[in-house]
Amino acid sequence: MKILILTHAFNSLSQRLHIELKKRGHTVSVEFDINDAVSEQAVALFQPELIVAPFLKRAIPETIWRHHTCLIVHPGIKGDRGPSALDWAILKGAPEWGVTVLQANAEMDAGDIWATVNFPMRAASKASLYRNEVTDAALQGVLLAVERMEQAGFQPEPLDYAQADVKGTLQPLMRQSDRRIDWQQDTTETVLRKIRSADGFPGVLDWIYGQEVMLYDAHAADGLYGEPGMLLGHSEQAICRATVDGAVWIGHLRDKQGVHPFKLPAMRVLGKRLAELPKIVAGYSDIHYEEQGRVGYLHFPFYNGAMSTDQCNRLREAYVAARRRDTRVIVLMGGPDFWSNGIHLNTIEAAESPADESWANINAINDLAREIITTESHLTVSALQGNAGAGGVFLARAADRVWARSGVVLNPHYKDMGNLFGSEYWTYLLPKRVGEERARRITQARLPMGTEEAGELGLLDGYFGQDNPQFLVELKQRAKALADDADFDQILRDKVATRQADEQEKPLDEYRREELERMNLNFYGFDPSYHVARYNFVYKVPKSRTPITIAGHRDISKRPRDDWSQAS
């Protein structure tokens, strides 16, 4: 079937649908819904049999839905309508939520229902739920709807609020007044739900020391108490604020009126205003370590998977400390939403010299990668619970084994960020693992990759578990088996010997020098593409067109010459 994905952005859900639909033999193309004319042109060029809209910020034009089957992926239970579906579910503490796949018509979210999939709610942010439960449910729903389209005689279900299983309602756009925090009245649980309902967009409006900011990245501060509303201290880059029955950590802020009006670590935004704020020892940390038997697990759930210079340095120190432990295996866990997305573009954009900070950041992540590659005391595993992109994919490959949860999405390329060459020793790690030809294919395609394809190419050593709980159970079994392997000592000796032979053939320092020579041109050269692309990413500048890599219908090389004029 020819399926057009019409979306506002190629986000985690759109990428997952793109991967899974193509895997099932469908011809899939993507178009960014920039305006009516662009979307209409895409439909005329591609002539899809089905249009799937997983993430839109406006209604599909009548000129399209009148003549084509258009399925809207709505993040709400059957009968739920409105633009703030998941926000309300989190704020109200709904125990169960879902995704409904419905047909576009003249009334928003009121079309015939093709599929609905529910899931138990988890105490997590909107962004985390969207990347995990919502994405999984949406995929199930879309695949079910596609199956039903191919069934002769199937009729979608009209929305009927008289039916017992239709429990949703029409809900308004959630406003800041709906989630405004009353620090003198709200409990920790209430504050967490309010901030989580707005994370990652739009954030919760609040005031700190008279400064208007948006709050994100909230966590319970166990064991801390104080006068409600007061700032109690800081730990790493997070600040701690008291509620009526405890306190919360707030990791990120956005100062809309500031010099850098985008999300940044809280301490970076407030700066000198917090000069007298005490540091809370053993408080919040975005890095933590645990041991189970002869296996050490190093967790680093960095917000949105971005790794700043400071985070890379602290993670390297934590890794070196883990290596000193009397264990056999070190598992690099990342976080539940992301393993890593490489260097931190927001902190780079906010630096006095973005070029200098880019250079510092890439060197810091390289230092971390080198420590992992040169480890002789342990076997190492990168355990991808969540998605990974750009340098994060190749940092993961620095470990001896890379295991991923089934369904995570990998973006093993840099070029969309202004033709960055990339580093993290990828010119050593990737060809060594998959071969030169496949390495070129992986880095040049600029396409998201599912675990099945990544496994076939050799980028992954294994993938398993349909969700994080299943993945973690099997991961720990595999890690224990690796540590308990009767041939462990020989496996470790072979690893060390291979690394020494590789070093003799071409030193790691030489790979790094060559990569950084190219990166230096990206950061300091005459071509500003990287700096423009980073600015557009950080400031969320809307795309003016859909990349040809995903919009196959706009690739004029694949159409008769008579059709070329339509693609202009």
Side-chain angles (χ1 to χ4, degrees), residues 430 433-443 455-458:
L430 194 57
R433 188 69 180 83
V434 307
E436 294 285 352
E437 183 180 345
R438 286 182 169 182
R440 280 192 296 272
R441 172 182 164 186
I442 289 169
T443 56
E456 291 171 354
L457 290 172

Side-chain angles (χ1 to χ4, degrees), residues 476-506:
K476 291 178 180 180
Q477 292 171 348
R478 290 184 178 220
K480 182 179 185 300
L482 186 60
D484 294 342
D485 194 311
D487 295 326
F488 179 87
D489 290 338
Q490 186 59 51
I491 295 171
L492 190 60
R493 283 194 294 270
D494 291 345
K495 165 191 168 175
V496 172
T498 299
R499 171 84 281 281
Q500 290 174 348
D502 288 347
E503 187 70 14
Q504 289 297 316
E505 181 179 343
K506 182 176 180 178

Side-chain angles (χ1 to χ4, degrees), residues 137-374:
L139 175 62
Q140 292 179 49
V142 169
L143 294 179
L144 181 57
V146 170
E147 284 181 21
R148 288 170 171 172
M149 278 198 69
E150 297 173 330
Q151 295 173 5
F154 178 82
Q155 293 295 319
E157 172 191 345
L159 177 60
D160 182 0
Y161 285 101
Q163 297 297 316
D165 66 336
V166 180
K167 299 179 180 179
T169 60
L170 172 61
Q171 302 189 90
L173 172 70
M174 186 177 288
R175 303 186 182 282
Q176 286 297 336
S177 57
D178 297 311
R179 40 189 159 208
R180 180 167 295 132
I181 297 172
D182 183 343
W183 292 99
Q184 307 304 314
Q185 299 291 329
D186 288 347
T187 64
T188 297
E189 176 60 28
T190 300
V191 171
L192 288 176
R193 280 195 278 111
K194 287 180 175 181
I195 298 176
R196 286 169 175 168
S197 74
D199 198 336
F201 179 83
V204 172
L205 180 64
D206 200 20
W207 289 263
I208 298 178
Y209 293 154
Q211 182 176 352
E212 185 180 270
V213 291
M214 309 298 288
L215 311 181
Y216 307 87
D217 187 21
H219 310 269
D222 297 330
L224 295 177
Y225 301 89
E227 183 179 337
M230 281 191 60
L231 291 182
L232 304 181
H234 69 91
S235 183
E236 305 298 355
Q237 290 293 307
I239 57 173
C240 185
R241 194 168 189 181
T243 66
V244 295
D245 64 348
V248 294
W249 290 106
I250 300 169
H252 282 74
L253 302 172
R254 179 164 66 95
D255 181 357
K256 295 193 298 181
Q257 310 302 321
V259 177
H260 307 297
F262 44 82
K263 292 181 198 176
L264 287 167
M267 292 291 289
R268 173 70 175 76
V269 172
L270 296 173
K272 295 179 181 178
R273 295 170 184 261
L274 301 182
E276 304 301 320
L277 198 64
K279 181 176 182 179
I280 299 176
V281 180
Y284 170 82
S285 179
D286 50 10
I287 300 172
H288 65 279
Y289 175 79
E290 61 175 335
E291 283 182 11
Q292 295 184 15
R294 291 190 283 188
V295 181
Y297 295 89
L298 185 57
H299 301 260
F300 44 102
F302 297 143
Y303 190 65
N304 288 337
M307 301 175 70
S308 68
T309 302
D310 170 70
Q311 287 170 318
C312 290
N313 289 335
R314 288 190 289 107
L315 182 56
R316 178 178 52 80
E317 292 168 1
Y319 177 79
V320 171
R323 207 168 51 189
R324 297 193 192 105
R325 302 288 299 171
D326 185 21
T327 53
R328 284 185 160 191
V329 174
I330 299 174
V331 184
L332 300 158
M333 296 293 291
D337 294 334
F338 294 101
W339 195 83
S340 169
N341 283 324
I343 60 176
H344 200 310
L345 299 177
N346 282 35
T347 56
I348 289 171
E349 185 66 31
E352 183 176 345
S353 169
D356 288 349
E357 182 56 29
S358 297
W359 186 253
N361 203 163
I362 198 65
N363 275 282
I365 201 169
N366 279 352
D367 291 343
L368 170 61
R370 185 185 178 90
E371 292 289 356
I372 300 168
I373 294 168
T374 59

